[in-house]
Amino acid sequence: MIEARDTGASQASRPKGGQDLRPEDRDGPRRRAKSSGSRTPVIIVAAVVVVLAVAGAAAFFLLGGDEEKESAAPGNGARLTPVAYTPQMADKDMAKLAQRAADQRPITQGEAFPADVKTVAYQKYSFSLAASQLAGDCKAVTWGQRLQGDLAKYQCSQIARGAYVSQDRKHVGQFVAINLASQEGAEQIVRDLDPATGAGFVYPLTAPGTPDFHAGFSAAYAQAYGHYAIVTWVQRAGGVQPASLNEMIDASLAIEKPADFVWGRLELVDGTPR
């Protein structure tokens, strides 16, 4: 079961280990449709109204307040963490992609962000890719001592980031792919990215002329795919509170299309087209 954790809620009101929120039935994302028949596609989030407690809860959205708004590297936004976070570990379909030793070719810009991910859509949400970046320095595009320590420990070699904006400019999204040496490392990074750990997060990629990610409500969904950690992170422009988490999950399903490159990698390692 995937947990959807509202990290802006008080500890007293949040069940131990995160709150399980079940969604309305919906089609699974493209990447899940490509998996074997034994895999059951699930994204568990409820159609519930997310109520932010008080204005003071904004402290949860932007760690450390103004002090944390240090000068970021070009292309990096502010130090932010999502309010709702959904982690998922790798499943058996990814076993042959569990080690980078079997998949040594570096990700390329064209592979992660080909022409067919320049415009993406799911349900009523349609997004355009406003900017993309492939970083070989994993520390430069992340913050947090513990996260950066684990990225080094598990030999992060690349982080691909894509900034998306919806056609109506009411939503923004971030796609992130992290290349680790092993599935063990990818799963550890998925755990580190949970805001409850305080380990750190990936900087949102900024794109000139498009809304930046802001302190406020946002939701991120992370999963290990073999030795890759894939993250989709979405927000109403300006950090406005969504009507429900279903709005966030549907938006995230649109911008996760670049994750298709992982299935291409799996086909090459496996030798069996899917």
Side-chain angles (χ1 to χ4, degrees):
M1 178 176 292
I2 303 175
E3 292 179 335
R5 298 186 184 130
D6 183 347
T7 61
S10 67
Q11 292 295 332
S13 64
R14 189 170 69 239
K16 184 178 181 181
Q19 183 178 7
D20 291 335
L21 301 172
R22 299 183 180 276
E24 303 167 19
D25 291 338
R26 61 195 66 234
D27 295 333
R30 178 181 173 88
R31 70 185 185 211
R32 300 178 191 278
K34 289 193 173 186
S35 64
S36 66
S38 63
R39 186 175 185 188
T40 302
V42 288
I43 295 182
I44 302 176
V45 181
V48 294
V49 176
V50 180
V51 180
L52 302 181
V54 291
F60 287 93
F61 310 149
L62 181 56
L63 298 184
D66 291 339
E67 293 181 327
E68 297 296 317
K69 295 181 182 178
E70 63 181 28
S71 297
N76 289 345
R79 289 189 178 190
L80 303 171
T81 54
V83 174
Y85 180 72
T86 302
Q88 187 172 347
M89 300 304 148
D91 62 28
K92 63 182 181 181
D93 285 350
M94 289 289 135
K96 292 186 178 181
L97 206 59
Q99 301 297 324
R100 190 165 61 204
D103 176 41
Q104 297 185 30
R105 180 173 56 84
I107 305 168
T108 66
Q109 183 85 10
E111 181 184 18
F113 301 104
D116 66 351
V117 305
K118 303 300 184 184
T119 301
V120 296
Y122 182 78
Q123 302 285 40
K124 65 180 182 180
Y125 299 98
S126 180
F127 288 81
S128 295
L129 182 66
S132 62
Q133 181 191 78
L134 185 58
D137 183 350
C138 299
K139 187 175 182 179
V141 299
T142 60
W143 59 269
Q145 184 175 359
R146 176 175 159 185
L147 173 61
Q148 291 178 340
D150 279 342
L151 288 170
K153 177 181 177 180
Y154 293 103
Q155 301 174 51
C156 176
S157 60
Q158 297 173 291
I159 296 182
R161 295 182 296 166
Y164 281 89
V165 60
S166 65
Q167 300 294 344
D168 60 9
R169 300 180 65 85
K170 292 182 178 179
H171 293 81
V172 288
Q174 296 280 318
F175 172 84
V176 181
I178 306 174
N179 189 346
L180 288 308
S182 66
Q183 182 171 297
E184 177 188 7
E187 291 184 341
Q188 182 57 50
I189 296 306
V190 167
R191 287 189 286 268
D192 285 349
L193 292 174
D194 187 335
T197 68
F201 213 77
V202 181
Y203 282 114
L205 180 66
T206 59
T210 63
D212 291 337
F213 261 64
H214 284 269
F217 191 92
S218 65
Y221 306 87
Q223 183 168 355
Y225 285 86
H227 66 92
Y228 299 99
I230 302 294
V231 183
T232 56
W233 186 15
V234 292
Q235 180 180 69
R236 276 194 178 185
V240 177
Q241 176 186 333
S244 76
L245 284 177
N246 278 335
E247 177 183 333
M248 297 288 94
I249 195 71
D250 283 352
S252 78
L253 290 176
I255 66 163
E256 73 171 2
K257 183 173 170 56
D260 283 353
F261 87 87
V262 176
W263 296 101
R265 292 284 177 132
L266 182 61
E267 289 175 5
L268 291 175
V269 173
D270 191 11
T272 305
R274 291 180 176 267

